[in-house]
Amino acid sequence: MAEIFNLTDILVQINDTIHTMNITFLSSPLQLHFDEKSNAPMQISISLLVIIITFLAFVLRKTRKRVEKPLKFEIPFPEASQPNWKGKRLTVPDIYQPEDPENIYCYCPSTSQLLGKFKSHSPEEIDALIKKAEVAQPKVYNDEKFHLKKRKFLRTLSEFIIKNQKELARVACRDSGKTMVDASMGEIMVTLEKINWILKHGDDVLKPSDRPGPANILMKYKKAQVWYEPLGVVCAVVSWNYPFHNLMGPIIAGVFSGNGVIIKCSERVRWSSEFFINVVKGALKTCEIDEDLVQLVCCWGKDADAVTGNPRLNHLTFIGSRPVAKYVAKKASENLIPLVVELGGKDAVVICEDYLKQKGIDTIAKTILRGTFQSAGQNCIGIERVIVCGDRENYKLLIQKLKEKIDQFHIGSDIDQVEEIDMGAMIMGGEHFDKLESWIEEVSSKDQGKVLCGGRRFIHPNYPQGHFFQPTLIADLDPSSVIAQNEVFGPICSVMFAENDEQGLQLANNSEFGLGGAIFTADRKHGFEMARKFKTGNVAINDFATFYVCQLPFGGIKGSGYGKFGGEEGLRGLCNEKSVCFDRTPLIGTSIPSVIEYPIKNGKKAWNFVSSMNKAAYDYSLHGKINGIYKLAQNAN
């Protein structure tokens, strides 16, 4: 029995088993001694070494996970996030109250309950906050343990989010009016995905990137790389529609890439943003990272120049409207601040004739409803136009199915889970509602479509001051109508018919926007062909908006902006892409030939030398290369 447990015998048995399996391509033997007394050699194949190396890699990975184990920390949640919270309701809900112009009034769009009052940051305060991040950034990045700390920070943050999903969702819902389900999908899930994608792939993305180097064979002794180093302080001016994710996304990428991060949140979600930034700072502090690295600023529009034109910034991302983007770009240009702008979209879903025939109406109807009405339509990559191609009978059936479902929608507030709600409130009411109602009225008055349901604001019996808008369905929408050409950013489902797929794609491209879009077809090859012709920055085939969850670079073309954030390109975009070249070996390096040394002694010979070098390096024919090398040698001295 003792022999069974002899290490040498066990290894021999493993080796014999491998050879019995006839894995001949791994059968190169090595001589190893396991028993010094007997000096008995044994044959151990490279296969066994592979097993040992794999085992060691597994152990190292487990060790790394233990080192990166998330830490626990506690942040008290605000009282307003608790179920059945009773807060004062504003008679006229608005972030700006004329009797108190210095304060920002944050309130719940569903219930009009006051969440808190906050001072607008002054230009001096904004500069001081940015300076804090500027001072902290080099100290944090140059910490020899930063690589470990930043990974632990993300794991700690992820763990906190997972354990406090419901509480975090409530905070987002109080400030945005959306439903808990919408918050879970659009706030929590996408944030966890971003964290875990960066943990899995971020190090590979930011490690030095080997490049092919020169095409010139005479310079192949040079190695070329791109190094990715933090820019310094990066800023994101984020929109209000997803208060948790829009704040967390830039912080996750910015901290991981070694930058200081400034978040300029919307005044409309200042209350939740203050809490979310405290969560981030709590995680930073717990992981022994200077919490000054991340700062939140919020101010009235009149003071926004102190952010977008601040010379301390090294990069700026702006998410918002086109008119504001033009002004932001002008201010950023004064200090040559690199800028990425994402300006919304008018995303179209093109449903090819073959898809409806094969998949039926129910499947696509579910996708359209989720893509249109999630977060009450306040999605930059939500579905704003539905284009059905080729089959009028299926077109009519789809509209019928959509109307049937929309008529059953329940509107309200489910933050306290006192009722089943399909769609919540919108963050902006007032003038935005006036605009939507006027556009819908124009469609009816000009006979540009059929308004089958909805079309105006909804006065909720329990929350009369809430920002609710009826889910709306418009069929046969005229592509030239104002509602077909402008981003509605609301719960409006617009459906059009196209005679064929080609015309459907033409309708989809007939827009000033170019952010995202979707194609539904039963033929993958046809889907790829359609996607190539789709004039947008992002396309999903047989789905909607999942390109965002897939961590691809995100951004649009045309009126939807320029530049990308997210994915590999987004992470590297927060870095100085430093080009570095060096000798592959210290034995070979660059020296200046005497014939071209200054002062040049013989201009004709110098010319012959350089022109021969070009011929030797770049002539396409072998004869030309040989001739070039020969003349190069002739003129070398």
Side-chain angles (χ1 to χ4, degrees):
M1 290 293 291
E3 292 180 359
I4 297 176
F5 297 97
N6 182 278
L7 177 60
T8 302
D9 290 340
I10 292 172
L11 292 174
V12 170
Q13 288 176 25
I14 293 173
N15 191 55
D16 289 343
T17 302
I18 291 169
H19 282 283
T20 302
M21 293 170 65
N22 200 29
I23 308 178
T24 57
F25 66 98
L26 290 175
S27 61
S28 302
L30 297 174
Q31 293 286 333
L32 295 182
H33 296 275
F34 289 90
D35 190 337
E36 292 183 0
K37 292 182 179 179
S38 65
N39 248 355
M42 65 165 289
Q43 298 287 323
I44 178 171
S45 72
I46 292 177
S47 302
L48 186 55
L49 289 181
V50 170
I51 293 172
I52 294 171
I53 292 169
T54 303
F55 173 73
L56 291 174
F58 174 77
V59 171
L60 288 172
R61 187 174 180 182
K62 285 289 185 182
T63 303
R64 180 179 178 180
K65 283 189 175 181
R66 283 198 297 271
V67 172
E68 294 179 2
K69 185 178 180 180
L71 303 176
K72 293 182 179 180
F73 70 101
E74 298 293 333
I75 296 289
F77 280 81
E79 183 183 353
S81 68
Q82 303 306 315
N84 304 309
W85 170 68
K86 305 298 181 185
K88 174 187 174 183
R89 293 189 183 184
L90 293 176
T91 305
V92 182
D94 198 320
I95 58 172
Y96 179 78
Q97 298 290 328
E99 68 277 7
D100 188 12
E102 292 186 1
N103 279 314
I104 298 167
Y105 279 67
C106 293
Y107 62 94
C108 175
S110 293
T111 65
S112 75
Q113 291 169 294
L114 179 65
L115 299 171
K117 296 187 293 183
F118 300 88
K119 285 281 187 183
S120 170
H121 284 132
S122 68
E124 294 76 21
E125 289 171 326
I126 290 169
D127 187 64
L129 289 168
I130 296 174
K131 186 176 181 179
K132 280 186 176 182
E134 183 184 43
V135 171
Q137 186 272 330
K139 292 189 294 184
V140 170
Y141 180 68
N142 292 322
D143 182 345
E144 61 182 13
K145 295 182 179 179
F146 175 64
H147 180 265
L148 172 62
K149 288 181 178 180
K150 71 179 184 181
R151 294 184 62 84
K152 184 170 285 192
F153 161 69
L154 290 189
R155 290 194 186 279
T156 298
L157 191 60
S158 179
E159 186 79 0
F160 182 88
I161 294 170
I162 292 170
K163 289 185 176 180
N164 296 279
Q165 289 185 63
K166 182 171 284 189
E167 291 79 6
L168 290 167
R170 282 203 191 101
V171 174
C173 289
R174 286 288 186 207
D175 224 3
S176 67
K178 65 184 62 175
T179 66
M180 291 287 286
V181 170
D182 288 351
S184 181
M185 292 182 65
E187 305 272 16
I188 306 297
M189 184 187 74
V190 290
T191 301
L192 288 171
E193 171 61 35
K194 189 177 187 74
I195 290 174
N196 286 278
W197 184 90
I198 287 181
L199 281 170
K200 188 173 183 179
H201 303 290
D203 286 332
D204 287 336
V205 171
L206 296 182
K207 71 181 181 183
S209 172
D210 287 331
R211 300 304 169 91
N216 184 346
I217 194 171
L218 302 178
M219 293 188 66
K220 283 299 182 182
Y221 64 90
K222 288 292 183 184
K223 187 172 179 62
Q225 288 186 336
V226 176
W227 296 355
Y228 300 97
E229 300 174 347
L231 288 170
V233 179
V234 299
C235 175
V237 180
V238 295
S239 55
W240 38 256
N241 54 332
Y242 286 95
F244 179 69
H245 178 68
N246 287 351
L247 177 143
M248 287 291 179
I251 291 173
I252 293 163
V255 170
F256 192 86
S257 54
N259 291 288
V261 183
I262 307 298
I263 299 294
K264 194 281 180 189
C265 70
S266 167
E267 304 95 305
R268 297 185 179 277
V269 291
R270 172 76 177 273
W271 175 77
S272 60
S273 297
E274 287 283 353
F275 173 73
F276 295 144
I277 211 73
N278 285 337
V279 170
V280 171
K281 286 179 175 287
L284 287 170
K285 185 176 181 180
T286 302
C287 296
E288 299 180 349
I289 299 174
D290 189 344
E291 55 190 286
D292 281 349
L293 188 68
V294 176
Q295 299 293 337
L296 177 73
V297 300
C298 186
C299 61
W300 294 118
K302 64 183 179 64
D303 294 323
D305 287 357
V307 181
T308 56
N310 195 293
R312 300 184 192 278
L313 298 182
N314 304 107
H315 186 277
L316 180 62
T317 299
F318 173 80
I319 303 173
S321 67
R322 277 189 285 178
V324 178
K326 292 176 181 179
Y327 186 77
V328 169
K330 182 179 178 181
K331 293 304 298 182
S333 69
E334 292 176 2
N335 289 295
L336 299 179
I337 301 171
L339 178 64
V340 170
V341 292
E342 191 267 280
L343 309 177
K346 190 69 183 173
D347 290 15
V349 168
V350 180
I351 307 169
C352 299
E353 185 174 359
D354 65 345
Y355 186 86
L356 287 178
K357 287 181 178 179
Q358 189 170 117
K359 301 291 184 179
I361 299 298
D362 288 349
T363 301
I364 193 65
K366 293 174 185 177
T367 301
I368 292 169
L369 292 170
R370 172 51 63 182
T372 303
F373 296 106
Q374 179 169 310
S375 294
Q378 298 166 113
N379 304 289
C380 58
I381 48 175
I383 297 173
E384 293 234 352
R385 294 174 293 159
V386 179
I387 303 169
V388 183
C389 304
D391 189 330
R392 285 194 179 275
E393 188 59 34
N394 275 329
Y395 171 74
K396 293 176 183 177
L397 290 173
L398 177 60
I399 290 173
Q400 182 180 330
K401 174 63 71 173
L402 292 172
K403 185 178 187 308
E404 175 189 322
K405 293 290 186 181
I406 293 170
D407 283 340
Q408 299 175 38
F409 272 34
H410 291 89
I411 309 170
S413 171
D414 75 340
I415 303 173
D416 300 316
Q417 297 180 331
V418 295
E419 53 183 331
E420 296 296 330
I421 295 299
D422 298 294
M423 194 180 81
M426 296 178 65
I427 293 179
M428 292 184 68
E431 292 181 1
H432 187 56
F433 282 5
D434 293 341
K435 180 177 67 176
L436 294 183
E437 287 176 338
S438 69
W439 286 354
I440 294 168
E441 176 59 32
E442 184 175 318
V443 167
S444 296
S445 63
K446 292 185 177 181
D447 197 24
Q448 293 178 323
K450 300 172 184 175
V451 182
L452 301 181
C453 55
R456 57 185 180 274
R457 69 195 74 194
F458 173 68
I459 307 301
H460 196 285
N462 297 328
Y463 316 111
Q465 284 85 28
H467 298 173
F468 298 101
F469 200 90
Q470 295 175 343
T472 301
L473 176 63
I474 304 175
D476 304 335
L477 183 65
D478 188 328
S480 65
S481 64
V482 65
I483 208 166
Q485 290 298 319
N486 288 275
E487 183 180 32
V488 298
F489 222 63
I492 300 174
C493 180
S494 301
V495 191
M496 310 176 192
F497 179 77
E499 294 295 337
N500 50 53
D501 295 352
E502 194 66 31
Q503 186 187 43
L505 194 59
Q506 289 174 1
L507 288 174
N509 288 333
N510 179 29
S511 172
E512 293 182 7
F513 294 94
L515 185 56
I519 297 161
F520 285 82
T521 175
D523 183 343
R524 174 181 283 192
K525 183 179 178 181
H526 182 54
F528 288 165
E529 291 172 353
M530 295 274 284
R532 290 187 186 96
K533 298 176 183 177
F534 217 141
K535 295 178 181 178
T536 65
N538 314 276
V539 180
I541 299 175
N542 292 342
D543 208 334
F544 85 97
T546 44
F547 40 75
Y548 188 83
V549 184
C550 290
Q551 303 305 309
L552 290 166
F554 182 76
I557 59 173
K558 300 192 289 187
S560 291
Y562 54 84
K564 299 278 187 175
F565 59 86
E568 293 184 18
E569 289 79 359
L571 202 55
R572 288 174 172 174
L574 299 176
C575 297
N576 170 29
E577 297 178 311
K578 182 179 287 184
S579 300
V580 180
C581 70
F582 50 93
D583 297 330
R584 293 180 183 274
T585 169
L587 301 177
I588 304 176
T590 300
S591 62
I592 305 299
S594 59
V595 69
I596 58 171
E597 284 181 1
Y598 285 117
I600 293 176
K601 299 173 183 177
N602 187 327
K604 183 178 180 181
K605 199 170 188 179
W607 165 260
N608 289 337
F609 176 83
V610 176
S611 60
S612 299
M613 182 173 63
N614 289 337
K615 190 173 183 64
Y618 303 113
D619 197 296
Y620 290 125
S621 69
L622 179 60
H623 175 268
K625 288 182 180 294
I626 293 173
N627 182 259
I629 292 171
Y630 175 73
K631 290 185 176 180
L632 187 66
Q634 276 188 325
N635 293 279
N637 295 312

